[in-house]
Structures are given as C-alpha cells and as structure tokens.
Amino acid sequence: MRLTLDGDWTVTTTDEPLRSIPRFDFPGQCVRIAEYADVEAWQRFLGETFGSQEWLWDAPDELRFDRAGRELVGAGFRLPYECAAAEDSARVPVTPAVRPGGLRADEARDFRLDVATELCRATGDTELTCLRDVDVLDEPLEARIGIAPDVALLVQHKTVVGWSLTDPVRYLTTGFAAPDPASPSPAVRSLFSECLDLVTRPLLDEVQARDPAAVALLRAADEALRAQREDRRRADALLSLIGNLVEDYANR
C-alpha cells in the first residue's frame, strides 16, 4: 500500500515493523521509537537518516528512514495538549484490526509530518489515539499499520491521519530511558489517568489560571505520586511533570 505523509511525499508499506519498544516520555509529552539512549546518540541518528524532524522552532512529528535502504528506522510522536470531547473519543473506530508493517520511503528526501491536534482517550486510558483533527472520525479508517509494538499509524484515503498507542502506562519513562519491563501497578494506572487530565486541556487551562479546585487536584496528584511505593520508575516519570506544574502554579 502506498501512503501519503506530506503533500506529494509518499511511502510504501512493508512487512517489517520496528522492533524497538516505545518510550513514552511523560515530561516531554512524546512517544519515541528508536534505539538511541541519549541526546548525543539521537543527534547522530538524525545525521545518519532522513525524513521529518525538529528544526529550530519547528517541532513536527518524526519519522526517520535509513539512507541506504530507505526503510523506517525510528519515529517520534508528540502528544496533543487538547483532549477531544468524550463523545468524539467514543467514536474512535475499533476496526480495522492493526496489521504489523514497516514503511519504505519512495524517495530519499526530507519532509514535514504535522503533529496531531486531538487526543482521544479510551476508557481507562487503555489506548491513546491522536488525530490530525476530529473530522477524521466522520469516515471509517482504511487501515491501521502497526509500525512498532503497540504503536499504529491510522490511514484514511491512503493518507496517514493519526497514530495510536495501546497500553500507554506500560511505556512511561523520562527522556531517552527504557521503560520498566515489569507490569504497571493498578495504583499507577489510576494515577496516570489523573495526571493526563491535569496536563491536557481543558483542565490544564484551569491549573494555569490557578483555579482553586484544579490546583487542589494537582496537589493531590503530586502527594499521591510521592507516596507511591510500588512502580516507582513510572511514578517518578509522572511526577517529573506534575512536580513542575506544582512549582509553577501551586506554590504561590
């Protein structure tokens, strides 16, 4: 299948998805799929590949391809700050099923992959679906290409219109660190949903306006994360961002 990513820039699907485990950098609000483990390795990786990447003040999503074979070798997706309305999230289709696959660029040149603008949250945040816009929900999806474990590109009219991450709590981390291989604890799963409420609109706007009720929720999440004894690595990943919000909006 040939897919359009940016205007006239196209890729062809393959049978080889990425093997890398996703890393959900919660303080950075992005999902990375690649083997690099620090900033220096990431910069080398960018220099050795082509595709969509950050440049100065422009921060699109990343899809990076090997220069020799033009195969997809890494990806990075930014989480939207805007949560879709509950009724829109309920319209996210469950079909078609995810089909594992990779991508091969049809030509070796850079392009720009726009970030998603709408975050649709499944019940219990068992899946996050990030869409180009909510109009995508007005028509069925054509395909879901599983480019990595639990990560899929959403296709409509042979154009990539979004992406999804299944079981996002499992992949929580900070920066470029690998996520904890152990299963998430029930307590951290619950705290994840509370934290995601706080770092996305509309509740984020209330936090930034220092609304007393929103600030109380922020402080409660901060205290619960600090008191969490199990699953500390994931709790610390959540705390990295929640703690910053407390410093900025709840300590004055």
Side-chain angles (χ1 to χ4, degrees):
M1 178 186 292
R2 177 168 288 180
L3 307 177
T4 299
L5 294 177
D6 175 35
D8 63 349
W9 202 91
T10 59
V11 297
T12 300
T13 57
T14 72
D15 295 326
E16 295 295 329
L18 298 172
R19 304 299 180 187
S20 302
I21 298 298
R23 304 172 189 183
F24 184 1
D25 175 13
F26 193 76
Q29 289 290 279
C30 66
V31 176
R32 297 187 180 93
I33 311 158
E35 292 299 326
Y36 48 79
D38 53 40
V39 173
E40 291 75 15
W42 173 56
Q43 291 173 338
R44 287 196 301 272
F45 173 78
L46 293 179
E48 296 167 355
T49 57
F50 70 92
S52 178
Q53 70 174 79
E54 291 184 23
W55 179 251
L56 298 178
W57 297 276
D58 187 30
D61 281 342
E62 290 184 6
L63 285 179
R64 303 299 295 175
F65 297 83
D66 176 69
R67 293 188 182 278
R70 305 199 310 275
E71 302 282 347
L72 180 69
V73 290
F77 301 103
R78 298 183 181 279
L79 211 67
Y81 287 104
E82 192 78 32
C83 275
E87 55 268 28
D88 286 328
S89 291
R91 292 197 295 137
V92 173
V94 296
T95 57
V98 173
R99 181 178 67 82
L103 304 175
R104 180 184 296 113
D106 291 334
E107 56 181 313
R109 65 178 173 89
D110 290 334
F111 68 101
R112 187 183 187 282
L113 181 62
D114 285 336
V115 298
T117 64
E118 295 287 337
L119 171 61
C120 297
R121 299 166 60 180
T123 302
D125 290 313
T126 54
E127 183 171 68
L128 303 180
T129 301
C130 302
L131 302 175
R132 180 183 63 193
D133 54 60
V134 292
D135 291 344
V136 168
L137 300 174
D138 294 337
E139 299 183 62
L141 294 176
E142 182 179 356
R144 296 174 188 259
I145 310 299
I147 61 168
D150 283 333
V151 178
L153 297 180
L154 311 184
V155 179
Q156 195 175 72
H157 303 305
K158 293 186 169 53
T159 298
V160 173
V161 294
W163 58 276
S164 64
L165 175 64
T166 302
D167 200 11
V169 182
R170 178 174 296 277
Y171 302 108
L172 282 174
T173 187
T174 57
F176 299 98
D180 190 334
S183 296
S185 69
V188 166
R189 285 190 181 278
S190 178
L191 285 167
F192 171 71
S193 291
E194 294 177 27
C195 293
L196 199 55
D197 287 342
L198 288 162
V199 302
T200 54
R201 297 186 180 97
L203 188 54
L204 177 60
D205 288 337
E206 297 175 26
V207 168
Q208 292 173 331
R210 295 184 174 84
D211 175 81
V215 169
L217 291 173
L218 178 63
R219 286 199 178 108
D222 181 78
E223 291 171 3
L225 288 168
R226 294 181 189 279
Q228 179 66 28
R229 295 185 178 181
E230 297 179 293
D231 209 354
R232 272 309 324 167
R233 285 173 59 184
R234 291 187 180 91
D236 285 340
L238 296 171
L239 187 58
S240 293
L241 183 52
I242 295 301
N244 287 341
L245 290 176
V246 169
E247 289 184 12
D248 290 342
Y249 302 107
N251 282 344
R252 299 180 185 177

